[in-house]
Amino acid sequence: MSSPALTGLVMGFIVQKLPSLKRTMDQPVLGVKQHRPRIAYIAGYALLVVTLVLTPIFCGVMFGDLGACFIIMFVLGGPLVIPFVNHCHAFYIQQTVSGVYWRNWRWKTRYMPYESISEVLLQSNGKNGYLRVRSRNIKRVRLSFDPWQFDASILFAMVLFRVEHKEWPQDLTPERVEELVAGFGSYEKMFGRIERLCYEKKLKLD
């Protein structure tokens, strides 16, 4: 049985190597649980069927041992495609007034108050970029996601406010959050500012 660390590494590698997927931005996100775009599910299940069903059948017809081909492909291909399909169903992010909830590939829900954010990094992955956020409250755990597959406008607004004013916004209400987001312009503009602040370099907020 593979270790959780190895499974997480393989799953993360597959997620980053998939073709670029983008969701439609500028939709309401406050309090909304955002899952991966539907096309990611389609791609995941298509890969699962090809790897664990069609390929073994083809190999079985070619070499005459259908059972062995299914076993071999399950052993070789299963650890690659099953974690990704699981991640599609498990992972979500939810931005609230006070912080971000997310559920990881192990179906464990975490919570990160905005004011606990200590580090932000936009890492290059050859596509949309990969956002990594750390909290001083949660050691050795970070929130990592593609900021174009998930609308991170509220998180972006909180970080940009912290950078501009040297403090986190206080006394937030849903209306105040919406005002903050609108004040920083379109999603593309916010992403551009975040990119300049922490692309391939860590933005320290402690």
Side-chain angles (χ1 to χ4, degrees), residues 160-206:
L160 292 174
F161 184 96
R162 168 65 176 78
V163 170
E164 285 190 0
H165 299 277
K166 309 302 181 183
E167 63 179 4
W168 295 100
Q170 303 295 319
D171 303 321
L172 290 173
T173 63
E175 293 75 18
R176 175 60 177 151
V177 170
E178 297 295 342
E179 290 175 2
L180 280 175
V181 173
F184 286 107
S186 67
Y187 192 82
E188 289 76 11
K189 288 182 179 178
M190 283 194 288
F191 179 81
R193 294 185 62 179
I194 291 292
E195 188 175 33
R196 289 191 292 272
L197 286 169
C198 60
Y199 183 74
E200 290 295 333
K201 58 184 178 182
K202 295 177 181 178
L203 172 63
K204 299 287 188 177
L205 297 174
D206 274 336

Side-chain angles (χ1 to χ4, degrees), residues 5-200:
L6 178 60
T7 303
L9 180 64
V10 171
M11 178 274 301
F13 176 80
I14 294 175
V15 168
Q16 292 193 39
K17 294 305 178 183
L18 282 177
S20 176
L21 302 173
K22 292 188 178 183
R23 79 165 56 240
T24 302
M25 301 301 180
D26 300 322
Q27 302 293 321
V29 296
L30 182 62
V32 176
K33 291 182 179 179
Q34 296 183 65
H35 293 266
R36 291 193 178 279
R38 185 173 300 176
I39 191 173
Y41 291 83
I42 296 173
Y45 277 103
L47 186 62
L48 187 72
V49 170
V50 169
T51 303
L52 301 184
V53 179
L54 298 183
T55 300
I57 290 176
F58 175 78
C59 292
V61 171
M62 292 292 294
F63 300 106
D65 194 338
L66 188 62
C69 289
F70 269 101
I71 292 173
I72 291 172
M73 285 309 301
F74 184 81
V75 172
L76 296 180
L80 298 177
V81 297
I82 293 175
F84 173 67
V85 174
N86 171 71
H87 194 272
C88 282
H89 287 281
F91 187 79
Y92 72 78
I93 66 170
Q94 181 182 23
Q95 298 161 96
T96 68
V97 169
S98 58
V100 183
Y101 289 91
W102 77 96
R103 189 171 65 191
N104 63 17
W105 64 274
R106 298 171 69 182
W107 297 77
K108 186 170 185 178
T109 302
R110 304 277 190 177
Y111 174 66
M112 180 187 297
Y114 297 122
E115 62 185 15
S116 75
I117 295 174
S118 59
E119 181 182 294
V120 183
L121 169 67
L122 183 62
Q123 186 174 359
S124 173
N125 64 353
K127 300 183 299 179
N128 306 326
Y130 211 66
L131 192 69
R132 302 188 183 278
V133 186
R134 288 189 181 275
S135 168
R136 70 179 65 90
N137 294 352
I138 313 175
K139 302 300 183 183
R140 295 181 298 177
V141 175
R142 62 188 175 190
L143 169 59
S144 301
F145 62 95
D146 184 327
W148 287 100
Q149 288 188 25
F150 299 88
D151 186 329
S153 54
I154 298 176
L155 176 61
F156 283 172
M158 297 297 172
V159 171
L160 292 174
F161 184 96
R162 168 65 176 78
V163 170
E164 285 190 0
H165 299 277
K166 309 302 181 183
E167 63 179 4
W168 295 100
Q170 303 295 319
D171 303 321
L172 290 173
T173 63
E175 293 75 18
R176 175 60 177 151
V177 170
E178 297 295 342
E179 290 175 2
L180 280 175
V181 173
F184 286 107
S186 67
Y187 192 82
E188 289 76 11
K189 288 182 179 178
M190 283 194 288
F191 179 81
R193 294 185 62 179
I194 291 292
E195 188 175 33
R196 289 191 292 272
L197 286 169
C198 60
Y199 183 74
E200 290 295 333

